[in-house]
Amino acid sequence: MRLDIKNASMDFFREKCKENNLKITPQRIVIYKKLLESKDHPNAEVLFKRVKNIIPAISFDTVNRTLLTFSKIGIVNIVEGYGEPRRFDSDIENHHHFRCLNCDSIIDFDFQPYDDILVPGDIKKRFIVLNRKVLLEGYCDRCRKNK
Ligand SMILES: [Zn+2]
Ligand SMILES: [Zn+2]
């Protein structure tokens, strides 16, 4: 659980919207709140269903577009490298992921040595490395019982 971090809260959301001149609408509040509560890195379709429970009239397109807008202003991360459809993460602090190859769940974890992982020399020479994100893959605790 990483709910305590400062960069994932309604205050942070309001602050960032103001900063980017993005109107704080009831729809946007609900979409962000639902993603904040979702610890499973949902895709737009999954999140749409959760938002629809609260705002029945909302369309998939609105939820999808809103998520992309959120990612543009930096309050939501698109989880890269997991194929389609895109998965979204309200946790924008650097952290690492474990992905289950069976049920496709993505679980957050922190591990200091991965934050400081060595960057190969030629990469270091050519690029500026800002983030180090490690992806572990395998079977989650629920799925390993069935393996
Ligand atoms: Zn699993
Ligand atoms: Zn994550």
Side-chain angles (χ1 to χ4, degrees), residues 10 13 17 21-34 55 58 62 65-66 69-70 75:
M10 291 316 290
F13 168 75
C17 284
N21 292 316
L22 193 68
K23 239 179 108 192
I24 301 171
T25 64
Q27 287 193 337
R28 284 182 178 147
I29 290 174
V30 171
I31 292 168
Y32 185 74
K33 217 179 212 161
K34 276 287 143 195
I55 314 172
I58 203 162
T62 302
R65 263 187 298 114
T66 303
T69 304
F70 285 173
I75 58 173

CSV table of all heavy atoms in Angstrom, one decimal, residues 10 13 17 21-34 55 58 62 65-66 69-70 75:
chain,number,residue,atom,x,y,z
A,10,MET,N,-6.1,14.0,-3.2
A,10,MET,CA,-7.0,15.0,-3.8
A,10,MET,C,-6.4,16.4,-3.8
A,10,MET,O,-6.7,17.2,-4.7
A,10,MET,CB,-8.4,14.9,-3.1
A,10,MET,CG,-9.2,13.6,-3.3
A,10,MET,SD,-9.2,13.0,-5.0
A,10,MET,CE,-10.2,14.2,-5.9
A,13,PHE,N,-4.1,16.6,-6.6
A,13,PHE,CA,-5.0,16.7,-7.8
A,13,PHE,C,-5.4,18.1,-8.1
A,13,PHE,O,-5.3,18.7,-9.2
A,13,PHE,CB,-6.1,15.7,-7.7
A,13,PHE,CG,-7.2,15.9,-8.7
A,13,PHE,CD1,-7.1,15.4,-10.0
A,13,PHE,CD2,-8.4,16.5,-8.4
A,13,PHE,CE1,-8.1,15.6,-10.9
A,13,PHE,CE2,-9.4,16.7,-9.3
A,13,PHE,CZ,-9.3,16.2,-10.6
A,17,CYS,N,-4.3,20.6,-11.2
A,17,CYS,CA,-5.3,21.1,-12.1
A,17,CYS,C,-5.2,22.6,-12.3
A,17,CYS,O,-5.2,23.1,-13.4
A,17,CYS,CB,-6.7,20.6,-11.7
A,17,CYS,SG,-7.0,18.9,-12.0
A,21,ASN,N,-4.3,24.9,-15.5
A,21,ASN,CA,-5.6,25.5,-16.0
A,21,ASN,C,-6.6,24.4,-16.5
A,21,ASN,O,-7.3,24.6,-17.5
A,21,ASN,CB,-5.3,26.5,-17.2
A,21,ASN,CG,-4.6,27.7,-16.7
A,21,ASN,OD1,-4.9,28.3,-15.6
A,21,ASN,ND2,-3.6,28.1,-17.4
A,22,LEU,N,-6.6,23.3,-15.8
A,22,LEU,CA,-7.6,22.3,-16.1
A,22,LEU,C,-8.8,22.4,-15.1
A,22,LEU,O,-8.6,22.5,-13.9
A,22,LEU,CB,-6.9,20.9,-15.9
A,22,LEU,CG,-7.7,19.7,-16.5
A,22,LEU,CD1,-7.7,19.8,-18.0
A,22,LEU,CD2,-7.0,18.4,-16.0
A,23,LYS,N,-10.0,22.6,-15.6
A,23,LYS,CA,-11.1,22.8,-14.8
A,23,LYS,C,-11.4,21.6,-13.9
A,23,LYS,O,-11.3,20.4,-14.4
A,23,LYS,CB,-12.4,23.1,-15.7
A,23,LYS,CG,-13.0,24.4,-15.4
A,23,LYS,CD,-14.2,24.7,-16.3
A,23,LYS,CE,-15.5,24.5,-15.4
A,23,LYS,NZ,-16.7,24.5,-16.3
A,24,ILE,N,-11.7,21.8,-12.6
A,24,ILE,CA,-11.9,20.7,-11.7
A,24,ILE,C,-13.4,20.4,-11.8
A,24,ILE,O,-14.2,21.0,-11.1
A,24,ILE,CB,-11.5,21.1,-10.3
A,24,ILE,CG1,-10.0,21.4,-10.3
A,24,ILE,CG2,-11.8,19.9,-9.3
A,24,ILE,CD1,-9.4,21.9,-9.0
A,25,THR,N,-13.8,19.5,-12.6
A,25,THR,CA,-15.2,19.1,-12.8
A,25,THR,C,-15.5,17.9,-11.9
A,25,THR,O,-14.6,17.1,-11.5
A,25,THR,CB,-15.5,18.7,-14.2
A,25,THR,OG1,-14.7,17.6,-14.6
A,25,THR,CG2,-15.1,19.9,-15.2
A,26,PRO,N,-16.8,17.7,-11.5
A,26,PRO,CA,-17.2,16.5,-10.7
A,26,PRO,C,-16.7,15.2,-11.4
A,26,PRO,O,-16.3,14.3,-10.7
A,26,PRO,CB,-18.7,16.6,-10.7
A,26,PRO,CG,-19.0,18.1,-10.9
A,26,PRO,CD,-17.9,18.6,-11.8
A,27,GLN,N,-16.8,15.2,-12.7
A,27,GLN,CA,-16.4,14.0,-13.4
A,27,GLN,C,-14.9,13.7,-13.2
A,27,GLN,O,-14.5,12.6,-13.0
A,27,GLN,CB,-16.7,14.1,-14.9
A,27,GLN,CG,-18.1,14.1,-15.3
A,27,GLN,CD,-18.3,13.9,-16.8
A,27,GLN,OE1,-17.4,14.3,-17.6
A,27,GLN,NE2,-19.5,13.4,-17.2
A,28,ARG,N,-14.1,14.7,-13.4
A,28,ARG,CA,-12.7,14.6,-13.2
A,28,ARG,C,-12.3,14.1,-11.8
A,28,ARG,O,-11.4,13.3,-11.6
A,28,ARG,CB,-11.9,15.9,-13.6
A,28,ARG,CG,-11.9,16.0,-15.1
A,28,ARG,CD,-11.1,17.3,-15.5
A,28,ARG,NE,-11.1,17.4,-17.0
A,28,ARG,CZ,-11.1,18.5,-17.7
A,28,ARG,NH1,-11.2,19.7,-17.1
A,28,ARG,NH2,-11.1,18.5,-19.0
A,29,ILE,N,-13.0,14.7,-10.8
A,29,ILE,CA,-12.8,14.3,-9.4
A,29,ILE,C,-13.0,12.8,-9.2
A,29,ILE,O,-12.2,12.1,-8.7
A,29,ILE,CB,-13.7,15.2,-8.5
A,29,ILE,CG1,-13.2,16.6,-8.5
A,29,ILE,CG2,-13.6,14.6,-7.1
A,29,ILE,CD1,-14.0,17.6,-7.7
A,30,VAL,N,-14.2,12.4,-9.8
A,30,VAL,CA,-14.5,11.0,-9.6
A,30,VAL,C,-13.5,10.1,-10.3
A,30,VAL,O,-13.1,9.0,-9.7
A,30,VAL,CB,-16.0,10.7,-10.0
A,30,VAL,CG1,-16.3,9.2,-10.0
A,30,VAL,CG2,-17.0,11.4,-9.2
A,31,ILE,N,-13.1,10.4,-11.5
A,31,ILE,CA,-12.2,9.6,-12.2
A,31,ILE,C,-10.9,9.5,-11.5
A,31,ILE,O,-10.3,8.4,-11.3
A,31,ILE,CB,-12.0,10.1,-13.7
A,31,ILE,CG1,-13.3,9.9,-14.5
A,31,ILE,CG2,-10.9,9.4,-14.4
A,31,ILE,CD1,-13.3,10.7,-15.8
A,32,TYR,N,-10.4,10.6,-11.0
A,32,TYR,CA,-9.1,10.6,-10.3
A,32,TYR,C,-9.2,9.8,-9.0
A,32,TYR,O,-8.3,9.0,-8.7
A,32,TYR,CB,-8.6,12.0,-10.0
A,32,TYR,CG,-7.2,12.0,-9.4
A,32,TYR,CD1,-6.1,11.7,-10.1
A,32,TYR,CD2,-7.1,12.3,-8.0
A,32,TYR,CE1,-4.8,11.7,-9.6
A,32,TYR,CE2,-5.8,12.2,-7.4
A,32,TYR,CZ,-4.7,12.0,-8.2
A,32,TYR,OH,-3.4,11.9,-7.6
A,33,LYS,N,-10.3,10.1,-8.3
A,33,LYS,CA,-10.5,9.4,-7.0
A,33,LYS,C,-10.6,7.9,-7.2
A,33,LYS,O,-10.0,7.1,-6.4
A,33,LYS,CB,-11.8,9.9,-6.4
A,33,LYS,CG,-11.8,10.0,-4.9
A,33,LYS,CD,-13.2,10.5,-4.4
A,33,LYS,CE,-13.0,11.4,-3.2
A,33,LYS,NZ,-14.1,12.3,-2.9
A,34,LYS,N,-11.3,7.4,-8.2
A,34,LYS,CA,-11.4,6.0,-8.4
A,34,LYS,C,-10.0,5.4,-8.8
A,34,LYS,O,-9.7,4.3,-8.4
A,34,LYS,CB,-12.4,5.7,-9.6
A,34,LYS,CG,-13.8,5.7,-9.1
A,34,LYS,CD,-14.2,4.5,-8.3
A,34,LYS,CE,-15.1,4.8,-7.2
A,34,LYS,NZ,-15.2,3.7,-6.2
A,55,ILE,N,-21.2,7.6,-11.7
A,55,ILE,CA,-21.8,8.5,-12.7
A,55,ILE,C,-22.3,7.6,-13.9
A,55,ILE,O,-21.6,7.4,-14.8
A,55,ILE,CB,-20.8,9.5,-13.2
A,55,ILE,CG1,-20.0,10.1,-12.1
A,55,ILE,CG2,-21.4,10.6,-14.1
A,55,ILE,CD1,-18.8,11.0,-12.6
A,58,ILE,N,-21.8,8.6,-17.7
A,58,ILE,CA,-20.5,8.9,-18.3
A,58,ILE,C,-20.2,7.9,-19.4
A,58,ILE,O,-20.6,6.7,-19.4
A,58,ILE,CB,-19.4,8.9,-17.2
A,58,ILE,CG1,-18.2,9.7,-17.6
A,58,ILE,CG2,-19.0,7.4,-16.8
A,58,ILE,CD1,-17.3,10.1,-16.5
A,62,THR,N,-15.0,9.6,-22.5
A,62,THR,CA,-14.7,10.6,-21.6
A,62,THR,C,-13.7,10.1,-20.6
A,62,THR,O,-12.7,10.8,-20.3
A,62,THR,CB,-16.0,11.1,-20.8
A,62,THR,OG1,-16.9,11.5,-21.8
A,62,THR,CG2,-15.7,12.2,-19.8
A,65,ARG,N,-10.3,9.7,-22.4
A,65,ARG,CA,-9.6,11.0,-22.7
A,65,ARG,C,-9.1,11.7,-21.4
A,65,ARG,O,-8.1,12.3,-21.4
A,65,ARG,CB,-10.6,11.9,-23.4
A,65,ARG,CG,-10.4,11.9,-25.0
A,65,ARG,CD,-11.2,12.9,-25.7
A,65,ARG,NE,-12.7,12.6,-25.5
A,65,ARG,CZ,-13.5,13.4,-24.9
A,65,ARG,NH1,-13.1,14.5,-24.3
A,65,ARG,NH2,-14.8,13.1,-24.7
A,66,THR,N,-9.9,11.6,-20.4
A,66,THR,CA,-9.6,12.2,-19.1
A,66,THR,C,-8.3,11.6,-18.5
A,66,THR,O,-7.4,12.3,-18.1
A,66,THR,CB,-10.7,12.1,-18.1
A,66,THR,OG1,-11.9,12.7,-18.6
A,66,THR,CG2,-10.4,12.8,-16.8
A,69,THR,N,-5.4,13.0,-20.4
A,69,THR,CA,-5.2,14.4,-20.0
A,69,THR,C,-4.4,14.4,-18.6
A,69,THR,O,-3.5,15.1,-18.5
A,69,THR,CB,-6.5,15.1,-19.8
A,69,THR,OG1,-7.2,15.1,-21.0
A,69,THR,CG2,-6.3,16.6,-19.4
A,70,PHE,N,-4.9,13.5,-17.7
A,70,PHE,CA,-4.2,13.4,-16.4
A,70,PHE,C,-2.7,13.0,-16.6
A,70,PHE,O,-1.8,13.5,-15.9
A,70,PHE,CB,-4.9,12.3,-15.6
A,70,PHE,CG,-6.2,12.8,-15.0
A,70,PHE,CD1,-7.0,11.8,-14.3
A,70,PHE,CD2,-6.6,14.1,-15.1
A,70,PHE,CE1,-8.2,12.2,-13.8
A,70,PHE,CE2,-7.9,14.5,-14.6
A,70,PHE,CZ,-8.6,13.5,-13.9
A,75,ILE,N,-0.2,13.8,-13.4
A,75,ILE,CA,-0.7,13.3,-12.1
A,75,ILE,C,-1.0,11.8,-12.2
A,75,ILE,O,-1.4,11.2,-11.2
A,75,ILE,CB,-2.0,14.0,-11.7
A,75,ILE,CG1,-3.1,14.0,-12.7
A,75,ILE,CG2,-1.6,15.5,-11.3
A,75,ILE,CD1,-4.4,14.6,-12.3
